[in-house]
Amino acid sequence: MIRAGIRAILDNDAGIEVIAEAGDGIEAVDLVRRHRPAVVLMDIRMPRRDGLAAAAEIRRVAPATGVLMLTTFGEDEYIVRAIAAGAAGFLLKSSDPRELTAAIRAVAAGAAYLSPRVAHRVITELAGARLGAGAEARSKVDSLTGREREVLALIGEGLSNAEIGRRLFLVEGTVKAYVSSLLSRLGARNRVQAAIVAYEAGLV
C-alpha cells in the first residue's frame, strides 16, 4: 500500500518516471543493475536485505545512482548509518508529498537532500562529534586549492552541480570534475560525507 501511494504521487509529476518497484533489498539491487535509474527511493526496513545494506551495495554496483532513504524511523542511529552506507538523502515518511518530489529532483541533480527535521538531527550530531573532528577536517581542507574549497563550501550548502556552476561561473562538466576530485581527496563516498567535512572544517 505504501509503494502504491508513493507511486501515485510520483506518477502525477510529469518530470518523474517510475521505472521499477522492488519488494525487498535483494530485488532492489538486481533492478538497479538492470535499469540504472537516476534515483532509488529506498525504505530502511525490507525483507531479505534491509535498505541500509542494499544502499551500500547499490553505491558499489551503480555509483551514478543516487540513493534516497525513506523511513518512519527518525532516530540518529538510522540517519548516521544511512549516510555511512552512501545515501545521498534521507526523508521521513511523514514528510509532505511535495518534499518527496523535491528530494528526488535534488538527488537526481547530484545534490544531497536531508529533510529539515533530519537535518536538525544531523547538525546536532555534528555539534557533539568527537573533539578531533574539526581539526581533522581542517587538515583535509588545507590540502585543497582555493577553487576546490569554494566548490566544497557550496556542496556543504546543498547546491547541485548546476547551481555551483552558476555561482562560480563554471560549466557543469568542470564542476563535476571538481566534485569527483574532491571526493577522492577527502576520502568521501558521496556529497553528504563531503558536506560533513565542509561543516566540520567551518566552511559552512
Side-chain angles (χ1 to χ4, degrees):
M1 286 192 296
I2 292 172
R3 291 213 317 271
I6 291 172
R7 177 154 198 157
I9 292 170
L10 300 182
D11 282 344
N12 282 328
D13 191 309
I16 297 175
E17 180 186 5
V18 180
I19 59 174
E21 294 182 40
D24 59 64
I26 292 177
E27 186 183 5
V29 175
D30 290 341
L31 289 171
V32 167
R33 282 196 181 100
R34 188 183 315 163
H35 296 287
R36 302 287 169 164
V39 179
V40 171
L41 187 61
M42 180 81 68
D43 203 342
I44 288 284
R45 292 195 175 182
M46 295 185 296
R48 296 206 293 167
R49 181 181 295 168
D50 68 30
L52 297 173
E57 180 68 6
I58 288 169
R59 294 299 299 155
R60 187 184 68 81
V61 302
T65 295
V67 178
L68 177 62
M69 305 301 300
L70 181 67
T71 183
T72 55
F73 304 95
E75 292 85 358
D76 296 344
E77 173 196 359
Y78 290 106
I79 298 169
V80 173
R81 287 175 61 196
I83 292 172
F90 200 103
L91 193 64
L92 301 181
K93 288 179 182 174
S94 56
S95 301
D96 187 281
R98 289 169 296 184
E99 189 179 350
L100 171 62
T101 55
I104 289 173
R105 290 180 185 280
V107 172
Y113 187 92
L114 292 177
S115 169
R117 280 177 291 176
V118 174
H120 175 73
R121 290 175 180 269
V122 171
I123 290 170
T124 301
E125 176 77 13
L126 290 174
R130 66 190 188 282
L131 291 176
E136 182 180 344
R138 285 191 294 274
S139 177
K140 291 180 179 179
V141 169
D142 285 345
S143 69
L144 303 177
T145 66
R147 179 63 87 185
E148 286 173 334
R149 283 194 291 272
E150 289 179 323
V151 173
L152 179 60
L154 295 177
I155 289 174
E157 291 182 21
L159 272 63
S160 68
N161 288 348
E163 290 169 331
I164 292 173
R166 288 194 292 270
R167 184 77 65 88
L168 299 179
F169 304 101
L170 298 171
V171 298
E172 191 169 348
T174 300
V175 176
K176 287 182 180 179
Y178 273 119
V179 172
S180 178
S181 174
L182 278 171
L183 295 182
S184 176
R185 296 186 66 178
L186 295 174
R189 295 179 63 182
N190 56 40
R191 297 172 76 100
V192 175
Q193 292 180 357
I196 290 173
V197 173
Y199 177 87
E200 290 178 338
L203 294 181
V204 182

